[in-house]
Amino acid sequence: MSYRTRANMMMIGVNVFWGMSYVFMKMGLSSLGSFTIIALRCLIAFFIAGLFFHKPLRQITRKTILSSAILGLLLFSVFAFVTFGVSMTSASNAGFLVSLTVIFVPLLHCLLVKKLPSWPIGLGVITTLTGIGVLTLKHPFHMNAGDLLCIGTALCYAIHITLTGTFTKNENPIALGILQLGFAGLFALTCSFLFEHPSIPTTLSSWIAILGLGVFCSAIGFICQAIAQHYTTPTHTGLIFATEPIFAALFAALFLHELLTLKELIGSVIVVAGILIAQLDNLLLKKRVHYQETLPK
């Protein structure tokens, strides 16, 4: 089995964990505050990741700390939006809407380079927006506040991914990944003391939720993603990310008994189709580069 195949399988495993995270968040919200959940999730992940990857932390610089703080603030925003969003909408809806990150990343790139998106990106955006409308719009025509927060999650995560790509060019990616979890946990802990009554889990379900989010969805998830993306391509990564909402809907049905209606199922399929169409841009770019390389010099 090649390294790329193993990396792709690892990324599928990461998406299984992230699909399960929406169920864990629903479980935790029954007894813990949103900021408390985020703080526990990030700090547990920070200490576990730091334990296994302590060597890169010995060589951190002031620039690494500053970059990590910026990424940590964005990551905290991602977790805050999605945690509050999940409390107001279904776990399956949240999974499909957060997957819009795959659409927002190339759109942000187009804004930065001041260039119109390619036809796969444009068609993918139109298709995805259609799917969102079918999935979330209710009569009379309005969107649930939780749905809007989940879309905000996707936008924040897209900004986070874009900045991560910039920072990792000159900084150690593992050190950035670990420290950003620590900063995100500190931001959440501060908000927990300001706006909630922080506490540790007291029930079995809340402990399962926190440990699931901290160990599997954050520590293992972020570490495996960093390792896998070293051996696979952005195209494969983007395609695999499109499976996250499918796992989210599956786990929501299995553990939370959330069943998609026919309207929601159609909307979900359209959203995933739009994400896959947008990924054609990477395939076309790869073919153009390959063709140019074969031309005689």
Side-chain angles (χ1 to χ4, degrees), residues 31-258:
S31 59
L32 295 169
S34 298
F35 290 124
T36 302
I37 290 175
I38 300 168
L40 291 171
R41 168 184 188 168
C42 292
L43 292 176
I44 288 173
F46 168 72
F47 285 114
I48 291 176
L51 181 65
F52 283 96
F53 294 93
H54 56 87
K55 288 185 179 180
L57 296 178
R58 299 175 182 174
Q59 302 173 351
I60 59 174
T61 63
R62 184 177 298 179
K63 186 178 179 181
T64 304
I65 294 174
L66 178 60
S67 299
S68 300
I70 295 171
L71 293 178
L73 180 60
L74 282 168
L75 192 62
F76 163 69
S77 301
V78 168
F79 288 146
F81 275 129
V82 73
T83 304
F84 281 103
V86 166
S87 69
M88 302 178 199
T89 190
S90 66
S92 52
N93 261 28
F96 284 103
L97 293 175
V98 172
S99 66
L100 290 176
T101 298
V102 183
I103 293 290
F104 286 144
V105 169
L107 285 180
L108 285 174
H109 177 72
C110 291
L111 288 175
L112 290 173
V113 299
K114 297 180 180 179
K115 183 179 178 183
L116 289 174
S118 62
W119 72 261
I121 297 296
L123 181 58
V125 169
I126 294 171
T127 303
T128 304
L129 289 176
T130 302
I132 291 173
V134 175
L135 180 66
T136 62
L137 289 178
K138 308 293 189 298
H139 182 77
F141 298 108
H142 70 278
M143 293 186 73
N144 182 293
D147 296 329
L148 290 173
L149 286 172
C150 289
I151 294 174
T153 301
L155 180 58
C156 286
Y157 195 32
I159 298 171
H160 176 274
I161 290 172
T162 303
L163 287 181
T164 299
T166 302
F167 292 156
T168 51
K169 290 178 181 178
N170 301 309
E171 305 292 333
N172 186 300
I174 295 179
L176 280 173
I178 296 172
L179 289 176
Q180 70 172 350
L181 288 168
F183 278 111
L186 289 176
F187 291 136
L189 190 62
T190 301
C191 289
S192 179
F193 277 103
L194 289 174
F195 304 111
E196 297 173 350
H197 299 287
S199 62
I200 61 172
T202 56
T203 64
L204 178 60
S205 62
S206 58
W207 270 113
I208 292 174
I210 291 301
L211 291 176
L213 287 169
V215 177
F216 296 104
C217 303
S218 298
I220 295 178
F222 279 102
I223 291 171
C224 288
Q225 181 189 2
I227 295 172
Q229 286 199 256
H230 182 72
Y231 296 102
T232 190
T233 64
T235 301
H236 282 109
T237 301
L239 289 171
I240 293 169
F241 273 153
T243 64
E244 180 187 338
I246 299 173
F247 289 122
L250 175 63
F251 289 126
L254 287 175
F255 297 104
L256 301 177
H257 308 295
E258 292 182 2

